Amino acid sequence: MTSGSLHQRGTAREAALARAVEDGLLGPRTPLVGLLDVDGVLAAVDALNEAFEGPAPVQHTFAAKACGLVPVLRLLAEAGMGCEVASPGELEQALAAGFTYDRLVFDSPAKTVEELEFALAHGIAINLDNFQEMARVDGLLAGREAAGPIGLRVNPQVGAGAIGAMSTATATSKFGVALRDEGAVDAVIEAFARRPWLNRLHAHVGSQGCPLPLIAHGVRTAYELAERINRELGRAQITGLDIGGGLPVNFDGEDDRPTYADHVAELRSAAPGLFDGRYALITEFGRSLLAKSGTIASVVEYTKSAGGRRIAVTHAGAQVATRTVFMPDAWPLRVGVFDATGRPKQGPAEVVDIAGPCCFAGDLTATGRELPAVEPGDVVALYDTGAYYFSSHFSYNSLPRPAVYGYRTDSRGQIAFALVREAQSVRAVVEESGLAQADALVALGTDQSAER
């Protein structure tokens, strides 16, 4: 984004927060809400498409794990995206959102027979994770041609980024066929030679914390393997390369860096032939499409001091910002402070911890931050939370999921909201915890005593 676009995004966010308070979407009775900038999401999709323009056909898929909310998926489907799914739940969410079977990619290291049968029957693209799964598909196809593309995920073993848990191309990663293991490359070539229906390679190095050169190194390894397989088989059997996603997000500031254009430039440098049109390219971006467009806002319930440190107690903690709370150094968030009307606060800064509502001491979304003085009734906003934070809820303390609203800005700067997901009621929390089976364990004990 340009500096003007970045300013526009920040201005729209502030206007949305003020309007949310004004409309009662955020306040004493509804102290927690998620807000998604729809214009920002669509701008990210446009930037992705523009960066990959060229002779190579490209199918961009959105990684559903980043935000499995059906209205968000529908927005991306209408914008021309495909969808990468990694579970039955994500698959059903994608179908409900309107993605057709031919725009889906099914990834998972633990696909069941039933899941594979469904994907094969409907022509959904599949990335197989290992040789045992490949043998399972042999049996399911039983000599039939596959209805959709089938690829093999390979692990180029190019190393880890700054966050080990987000790095999927390490020496011992659980994903894919480890190419540097003894005999692995020969086994992969033989697998393709015996299976004409195997026509893609898939490599995903990781996401947040993985630098662009590392990602490009992994993609180049997959590209060079595809070239070798096609050359040794004497035919263009591999027609598609799924290069994953993983573009890191800047959580330190407003600007988008690296950009999709930066990513493509790195890929072109590492593997120039990747873009010459001989291979269809498939991408699986998630966080980078949504993160900068999301805000989680909470009313400040109390403020206090402990050991000389100010603490602001909010309703946004580990239940919505799970990674930030448990790995604060890897997943820091920018924080904004607004008054009770939703306007940015000014004035001298003070050092403050931003705490959540969960009953453990580490439930902090920010520690030791210099922020304008925070008072009860103010609003604390957690920025860059459009991916994962809205949909990957942690049910600690049985805290209900907050409502999520999307917003757009018209030519006059006016904000319009649309409900994405209703706030979960406390009653729904109780029902989800087994209310209908409340007497089950008591009755079980009674029945066994009677039998004895």
Side-chain angles (χ1 to χ4, degrees), residues 17-33:
L17 281 164
R19 184 63 185 271
V21 173
E22 181 182 339
D23 289 359
L25 306 182
L26 177 65
R29 295 177 63 86
T30 53
L32 180 64
V33 72

Side-chain angles (χ1 to χ4, degrees), residues 236-259:
Q237 179 163 328
I238 297 179
T239 57
L241 291 173
D242 187 331
I243 61 174
L247 187 73
V249 169
N250 170 29
F251 286 104
D252 295 326
E254 191 70 62
D255 57 317
D256 297 296
R257 54 177 172 82
T259 65

Side-chain angles (χ1 to χ4, degrees), residues 32 312-322 325-326 354-365 393-400:
L32 180 64
V313 181
T314 76
H315 294 270
Q319 88 279 24
V320 290
T322 313
V325 168
F326 288 110
I354 306 298
C358 297
C359 283
F360 63 93
D363 187 32
L364 303 169
T365 54
H393 195 72
F394 179 38
S395 297
Y396 198 89
N397 285 144
S398 295
L399 289 162

Side-chain angles (χ1 to χ4, degrees), residues 13 78 249 324 326 387:
R13 181 174 56 227
E78 290 294 318
V249 169
T324 295
F326 288 110

Side-chain angles (χ1 to χ4, degrees), residues 153-185:
R153 181 167 186 169
V154 294
N155 173 10
Q157 293 175 293
V158 292
I163 308 174
M166 296 292 105
S167 301
T168 58
T170 60
T172 57
S173 170
K174 72 176 187 179
F175 293 104
V177 176
L179 292 181
R180 294 187 180 182
D181 285 12
E182 185 176 357
V185 170

Side-chain angles (χ1 to χ4, degrees), residues 66-126:
C67 190
L69 301 178
V70 171
V72 175
L73 297 178
R74 175 70 62 86
L75 175 71
L76 294 168
E78 290 294 318
M81 297 284 294
C83 193
E84 183 265 338
V85 299
S87 72
E90 290 179 359
L91 173 60
E92 290 301 320
Q93 287 169 335
L95 293 173
F99 290 101
T100 53
Y101 295 122
D102 62 332
R103 293 165 67 190
L104 298 178
V105 175
F106 187 27
D107 291 326
S108 168
K111 305 180 200 72
T112 66
V113 169
E114 183 179 11
E115 292 163 13
L116 288 168
E117 285 177 332
F118 184 90
L120 291 169
H122 292 87
I124 297 171
I126 308 170

